[in-house]
Amino acid sequence: MKEVANLMLLNGQSLQIDHFPNGELRVSPEILEQLVTAKDQMQLLTLRFETNEDLVVLLLLSQWLREEGFKSQALYMPYMPYSRMDRKVGRHLFSLQYITSFINAMHFEKVYVLEAHSQVTLALIDNVISLSYVNKLVQLAMNDMGFDEQLDVIVFPDKGAEERYRGAFPSNFRILYGEKIRDFDTGEVLELNVKGDGKAIRKALSVDDLVSRGTTFLQLAKACEALGIHDISLAVTHTENNLYSGTFFHHITRLYTTDALQPFLEQALVHPQITVYALPDINELYN
């Protein structure tokens, strides 16, 4: 049985998980015993989601802690799995509701969620604490790109992003936002138009919580280019591995993001158009 690194952390320390020959998980209690603190202290589990297997690891670890007398547990999720399926549409599964029910059944005293995709996530999780890094990320991005509030503009990909993040910017900042029409079955953005005053703009910085394949931002960039804006950067907390295919970086000057989602990092750290910032400790995010 070969040990593999797992993205689950216990009290800030990485676990080593191995598998039985049939592929089922084997978690060593000897390893867990080295990572726990006193039984009267809260145990912090960090779920750095990569695959569905990570949810099983979370369940096994939380249950083991309770059986061993560690009743006080908190969960930190730099990314909330299944957060984009946050409503009931037709016969599509309301996946977020099912996953949050799964998490709630573990009875965490606190659940920290970084950059929730929508208020639905926060409403569905028991004892939730919302964390954000976007203000710091945007400031780092603006400093790097030499953002000038008189010459440059903030552009949101849709009204949802504008509602989430408009408050992070002073009222004198110029703001554009996208209006998009999406095929819900395929996820494809069929059309995107930019609203607002797009005249005499030097650079644009788009802000949101997540980029996956980059389809929305690619169309946003093309819409900005049609207005004469050709220097367009993007600041998002979560970046998925799907981004590297296609022509995304033909139209985006630079992507500013974090290490919240681990799988894309290997290529991102050497990509000439990506800047990755390491997320601070949870205590710094919370305070």
Side-chain angles (χ1 to χ4, degrees), residues 251-269:
H251 299 269
I252 297 296
T253 303
R254 177 155 293 274
L255 167 65
Y256 300 93
T257 189
T258 76
D259 60 353
L261 287 172
Q262 301 283 300
F264 96 107
L265 282 179
E266 183 176 352
Q267 293 184 62
L269 292 174

Side-chain angles (χ1 to χ4, degrees), residues 60-117:
L60 296 177
L61 182 53
S62 177
Q63 187 63 34
W64 179 85
L65 287 170
R66 294 200 184 280
E67 290 179 353
E68 293 297 312
F70 298 93
K71 305 298 184 185
S72 181
Q73 301 176 29
L75 174 63
Y76 169 41
M77 292 184 288
Y79 170 74
M80 175 66 213
Y82 293 87
S83 57
R84 281 170 290 177
M85 205 62 179
D86 60 359
R87 69 200 72 181
K88 182 71 174 177
V89 178
R91 299 194 65 196
H92 291 276
L93 299 182
F94 190 176
S95 307
L96 177 62
Q97 184 178 57
Y98 308 151
I99 297 300
T100 54
S101 295
F102 171 80
I103 291 170
N104 290 339
M106 291 179 239
H107 304 292
F108 293 105
E109 289 188 22
K110 298 177 181 179
V111 179
Y112 301 92
V113 177
L114 178 67
E115 229 68 72
H117 185 62

Side-chain angles (χ1 to χ4, degrees), residues 215-233:
T215 304
T216 295
F217 293 103
L218 184 58
Q219 293 208 20
L220 181 70
K222 291 179 179 179
C224 287
E225 289 169 356
L227 296 176
I229 310 168
H230 296 282
D231 190 331
I232 304 150
S233 294

